[in-house]
Amino acid sequence: MYKISKWYNNFQSPSVLMIDDLSDAYINIYDKSYKNDWGYLCNQEDSAYNFLKKHVLSTFPNIKITFFVPYLKHNVINDNTPQEYKKYDVGEREEFTIFLLSLQNQGHEISHHGSHHGKYIDKLNLSTYNNFLHEWELFSNIEEGIKITKNGQKIFQKYLKKSISGGKFCGYKQIENSLEIIDKCNFHYWCDSVNYTSKNYNFSFFGNNKVVSFPTNFAGNAFVRLSYKTGDEKKDKKKRILKFLQPFYNILQYKNLNQLYLNGHIISIQEHISPATSSGLTQSANIVSDIESLQKIYKFLAKKSIWYATCDEIAKYIYTKENSVLSFTQEHIIIEFNNYKELEETIITVVSESFFELEDKNNNKISSTWNNKQFTINLSITNGINKFKVVDKNV
């Protein structure tokens, strides 16, 4: 008996680290450069990315990151801030373009996060609280939204030399017809909502192009949320009391994380690139303040059957699985794949309770390997009928 695995290589769950607002920007708030860096310092020794490499990626090198990048100067960095700052459009500085390309070459993903992210209602007020409209809240009509969103696709194509397949609503904010804008821009996936309480995930799509609705379900600050300072005096006063509850809160977070895993859910870990903001308050869920929490998360996942992948890779597997039908005879496994989106490099995983060996159309033999309690083969497939000869099996 053969069947298509829920996830690539029959892993129990896929996991992606999602980092918002990577930008060619820097705001001088803290005495440590890596805390101020939104991406401007690229891969320098004192950059935010190098900080992440030293404290997380060096220990857990299999992690895949999807960086959500606005393609224009980031408007959350308020031009009226008294702090010294720098910010540039994508493509304006060659050093930043080279940095983005290097991230892609390392297996990470650059994804769409709007043009400038949005605008302040009152620019003289440096706080974003009830004072900032996110990008997809601003479009007066579908045509405007499509034009601005597609412009970003063109810019990323120009500088990254490849099409980007997905993105995320800024602040997870959307209004009527926002999903239609995304659909008409022909994205493959989109992060359209956040839910830190759901423990299940059923593949869901929206629009005529069946865009994968990609979940955001675990906060990167889960294991430090009650303890680190925000810069807000009232909140920090409460946290001086709440921090004693953090160990008990951690027990709940480990339970939630484990439940996502046991249910075979996508585990998408939400972060921001920098703690620095125009108001001087700490950005919630950022890789600097949350470094201890991220270490706990990945130490836990390291013991599990995890497919470390980008949002694009996960969404592509969902698409391939949902559009494939498997059948078999004594002599062949047949997979009929409707690749109506014409995606490249599509792979499907076939599993069995017993060892099996296949031969493809080029007479290449492929032997199954044991993974997550089943024998597993990853098969490259193309649009139409894909036939593989069964050359050995142990039924």
Side-chain angles (χ1 to χ4, degrees), residues 17 19 34-35 47-60 63 65 218-229 246 250 254 269-275 282-300:
L17 175 56
I19 299 182
Y34 65 82
K35 293 184 177 183
S47 68
Y49 180 64
N50 203 46
F51 174 83
L52 183 66
K53 282 201 300 184
K54 285 181 179 179
H55 295 282
V56 177
L57 301 183
S58 61
T59 307
F60 307 101
I63 293 172
I65 307 171
F218 201 81
N221 65 0
F223 294 101
V224 295
R225 190 171 187 175
L226 303 182
S227 58
Y228 73 82
K229 294 181 178 181
Q246 186 70 59
N250 287 356
Y254 277 123
I269 300 159
Q270 171 62 31
E271 281 290 359
H272 292 85
I273 190 66
S274 175
T282 302
Q283 167 68 59
S284 178
N286 71 82
I287 61 171
V288 176
S289 303
D290 302 345
I291 204 68
E292 180 184 337
S293 181
L294 289 171
Q295 290 167 344
K296 289 180 184 295
I297 291 168
Y298 285 107
K299 185 176 181 180
F300 176 87

Side-chain angles (χ1 to χ4, degrees), residues 135-150 175-182 184-185:
E135 182 148 330
W136 273 269
E137 297 179 281
L138 297 174
F139 299 139
S140 57
N141 54 63
I142 292 176
E143 289 71 26
E144 179 190 13
I146 292 172
K147 180 181 178 181
I148 292 174
T149 305
K150 281 191 172 182
I175 58 175
E176 186 179 1
N177 300 325
S178 293
L179 293 177
E180 187 175 351
I181 292 171
I182 302 307
K184 290 190 174 181
C185 289

Side-chain angles (χ1 to χ4, degrees), residues 84 99 101 212 223 286 295:
E84 180 186 356
F99 175 55
L101 289 169
V212 175
F223 294 101
N286 71 82
Q295 290 167 344

Side-chain angles (χ1 to χ4, degrees), residues 152-164:
Q153 291 173 301
K154 293 176 183 177
I155 288 175
F156 285 121
Q157 175 70 53
K158 177 180 179 180
Y159 291 105
L160 302 183
K161 311 304 180 186
K162 65 180 292 186
S163 299
I164 57 172

Side-chain angles (χ1 to χ4, degrees), residues 219-248:
N221 65 0
F223 294 101
V224 295
R225 190 171 187 175
L226 303 182
S227 58
Y228 73 82
K229 294 181 178 181
T230 66
D232 183 304
E233 187 177 342
K234 290 183 179 179
K235 288 183 179 180
D236 289 345
K237 186 176 181 179
K238 291 179 181 178
K239 287 200 170 190
R240 285 196 288 271
I241 301 172
L242 291 174
K243 69 178 181 180
F244 297 105
L245 299 177
Q246 186 70 59
F248 303 99

Side-chain angles (χ1 to χ4, degrees), residues 1 17 130 154 170-171 176 186 198 200 208 213 240 246 284 303 347 367 376 387:
M1 177 68 71
L17 175 56
N130 290 332
K154 293 176 183 177
C170 302
E176 186 179 1
N186 295 315
S198 174
N200 292 291
N208 294 327
S213 177
R240 285 196 288 271
Q246 186 70 59
S284 178
K303 302 173 184 178
I347 295 176
S367 298
T376 301
K387 184 179 286 189

Side-chain angles (χ1 to χ4, degrees), residues 5 33 152 202 228 237 272 287 307 352:
S5 175
S33 295
N202 296 316
Y228 73 82
K237 186 176 181 179
H272 292 85
I287 61 171
W307 172 31
S352 174

Side-chain angles (χ1 to χ4, degrees), residues 30-42:
Y30 304 101
D31 58 351
K32 301 291 185 182
S33 295
Y34 65 82
K35 293 184 177 183
N36 301 318
D37 183 34
W38 287 44
Y40 172 81
L41 295 179
C42 300

